[in-house]
Amino acid sequence: MKTPVADLLSGDVVRPLAAFRGSGPVSTCYLDVDGRRYVRAHDYELQLERMLRPVREREHRAGHHDVCKDLKRIEEHVTGGFDRSHTRGVAVFASSGDGLWETLHLPVSVPNRIVVNQHPQVRILEAVVERADRFAVLLADRQRARLFVFQLGQLVDWSERFDRLPRHEDDGGEMVKDQVRDHVDSATRRHLLRTARAAFELFQESGFDHLLIGAPADIAGALERTLHPYLRERIAAHLAVPVGVKEDDVREAAVAAEDEVLRRRESANVDRLRAAAGMGDGALVGLDVVLEALVERRVDTLLVSDGFEAPGWRCPSCAFLATRGPSCPLCSTRMEQAEDVVEEAVQEALNQSVHLEVCRGNADLDVLGRIGALLRF
């Protein structure tokens, strides 16, 4: 059964998963199914098969039949098909031996990952919730105003008001046109003031990080000037969306604006990384030095190009990560080979509650070595 996003936002999903302790291993799968990258279902199904194959072979050799059964069930869930109109990422947690089966269809993409461990790997889910900004949408015309607050594509608050403009077509000629125009303009100003007041009240009650405004050009400027400064500084985009559109259309506009905000944030972090690394102050680029900084727990934000993989080594004693082995330079223990040390680095970053930025199609990060770190110290 698919878990509602509202339960995810409330913590009713993450907390029990984080506390789950069963008698056997738990299989965790995160899969990116974003239609902008995977146009056909077959495309992300191939990606899932590439991830599953080595894990399935390893668990089969180890005789972990319950795990193999869980992996098969995860595969069947994905290939069974689902509505992708509001789904860009899938998370599944399974342990047949302990009766655990939890699926989440997320309106944001997630890094592709399969982990088999003694407990659910919820760090990516926690990161999704932690970075789930709230987007408010304010739609208005001269008579009507609608306010929506979305988080992870879920409508979390809503408000609407209607202030009827004065009618003048039945005035019997008693009002001249200028008087009518002044009367209407005055009513519009009162409507915009009430709208601004309602928007600020919604901000105080629900809180939101970004404000999107849709209003006709003849009142858009006046509306923005009427807003509280706290709201004006949160304006992230202007929408060409009329006040009377359906809720799904408003949601789509909010999700599109959220994508743009995330792209700007990603680009700003890469620019910050490049500048700091160029000055040799507060940032590192390149796999070897980033791995070392992770081991030393100095990383605040880890930036990785999507799809970046590299073989490497991991120390089973002190968790040291390196591109060269086999002897651990810290404790001299013989290290184990890792098929993908970048994956190990991402998992270690999540374990340390490091901010993770998986960058897609960012040429600047690719030039810097496809991985970089903004440092705490």
Side-chain angles (χ1 to χ4, degrees):
M1 180 178 178
K2 185 176 73 171
T3 300
V5 172
D7 291 345
L8 173 64
L9 292 173
S10 71
D12 291 344
V13 174
V14 176
R15 280 193 298 268
L17 283 171
F20 181 87
R21 294 295 181 271
S23 59
V26 177
S27 299
T28 301
C29 174
Y30 292 97
L31 184 66
D32 182 4
V33 297
D34 194 329
R36 295 168 301 179
R37 284 182 291 279
Y38 302 100
V39 178
R40 303 170 302 167
H42 181 65
D43 298 332
Y44 63 76
E45 289 171 2
L46 283 177
Q47 175 64 41
L48 176 64
E49 175 57 28
R50 281 194 289 268
M51 293 194 298
L52 280 172
R53 190 180 303 115
V55 179
R56 192 159 37 206
E57 291 173 355
R58 182 189 70 212
E59 298 301 325
H60 180 74
R61 287 195 302 269
H64 296 160
H65 302 300
D66 279 351
V67 173
C68 292
K69 185 163 65 173
D70 291 337
L71 296 176
K72 180 65 175 175
R73 188 178 181 187
I74 290 171
E75 182 180 28
E76 289 174 347
H77 174 74
V78 172
T79 58
F82 48 85
D83 181 10
R84 280 202 292 163
S85 58
H86 299 307
T87 299
R88 294 183 178 179
V90 173
V92 185
F93 306 88
S95 178
S96 54
D98 292 295
L100 173 65
W101 176 255
E102 191 82 55
T103 67
L104 278 166
H105 291 188
L106 305 168
V108 295
S109 59
V110 291
N112 290 315
R113 192 146 293 118
I114 292 181
V115 180
V116 178
N117 210 326
Q118 289 306 116
H119 49 83
Q121 297 293 298
V122 298
R123 296 292 187 181
I124 291 177
L125 208 53
E126 289 175 336
V128 167
V129 175
E130 178 187 333
R131 304 199 69 185
D133 288 353
R134 287 192 168 196
F135 284 76
V137 179
L138 170 56
L139 304 179
D141 60 16
R142 288 177 171 270
Q143 297 187 102
R144 189 178 177 191
R146 301 170 74 198
L147 294 128
F148 306 82
V149 180
F150 295 98
Q151 189 173 21
L152 287 180
Q154 174 82 23
L155 181 65
V156 296
D157 209 342
W158 173 82
S159 175
E160 183 167 355
R161 69 171 300 107
F162 182 80
D163 295 311
R164 186 180 297 278
L165 286 175
R167 295 171 62 88
H168 60 82
E169 60 267 31
D170 299 326
D171 60 22
E174 295 177 5
M175 297 178 66
V176 298
K177 289 184 178 180
D178 287 346
Q179 291 175 318
V180 170
R181 187 180 303 110
D182 290 344
H183 196 29
V184 169
D185 288 346
S186 178
T188 299
R189 285 193 295 272
R190 289 194 300 273
H191 168 64
L192 296 182
L193 284 168
R194 294 189 187 107
T195 297
R197 192 177 305 119
F200 188 61
E201 288 172 358
L202 189 66
F203 171 72
Q204 291 177 307
E205 293 169 2
S206 297
F208 48 81
D209 305 284
H210 310 279
L211 177 61
L212 316 173
I213 294 180
D218 59 335
I219 65 167
L223 175 60
E224 288 188 29
R225 289 191 296 271
T226 307
L227 293 173
H228 190 284
Y230 288 177
L231 302 189
R232 288 202 299 270
E233 68 186 18
R234 284 168 170 76
I235 296 175
H238 295 82
L239 308 178
V241 177
V243 70
V245 297
K246 296 178 180 178
E247 182 186 311
D248 279 349
D249 295 327
V250 180
R251 179 183 286 104
E252 287 181 14
V255 169
E258 181 176 0
D259 288 341
E260 180 58 31
V261 168
L262 293 176
R263 277 194 294 270
R264 290 201 300 260
R265 178 190 294 169
E266 175 186 295
S267 180
N269 278 334
V270 173
D271 289 344
R272 181 182 162 201
L273 174 73
R274 183 179 57 215
M279 296 190 308
D281 181 22
L284 297 168
V285 294
L287 185 54
D288 287 302
V289 291
V290 168
L291 292 178
E292 184 177 348
L294 271 172
V295 171
E296 295 170 350
R297 308 182 77 86
R298 293 194 294 135
V299 177
D300 176 76
T301 302
L302 179 67
L303 296 96
V304 185
S305 292
D306 187 34
F308 179 37
E309 300 177 357
W313 300 79
R314 182 183 183 93
C315 178
S317 178
C318 69
F320 187 83
L321 297 172
T323 57
R324 292 179 294 275
S327 179
C328 176
L330 290 187
C331 66
S332 300
T333 300
R334 182 176 179 81
M335 294 194 291
E336 300 171 346
Q337 283 190 303
E339 292 182 7
D340 183 7
V341 76
V342 178
E343 163 66 21
E344 298 283 347
V346 168
Q347 189 59 47
E348 181 61 30
L350 292 169
N351 289 340
Q352 295 180 24
S353 297
V354 167
H355 298 297
L356 175 64
E357 197 85 66
V358 179
C359 302
R360 295 178 172 89
N362 192 302
D364 289 338
L365 183 58
D366 291 344
V367 169
L368 293 171
R370 306 192 71 188
I371 190 167
L374 297 168
L375 303 179
R376 295 191 179 106
F377 57 90

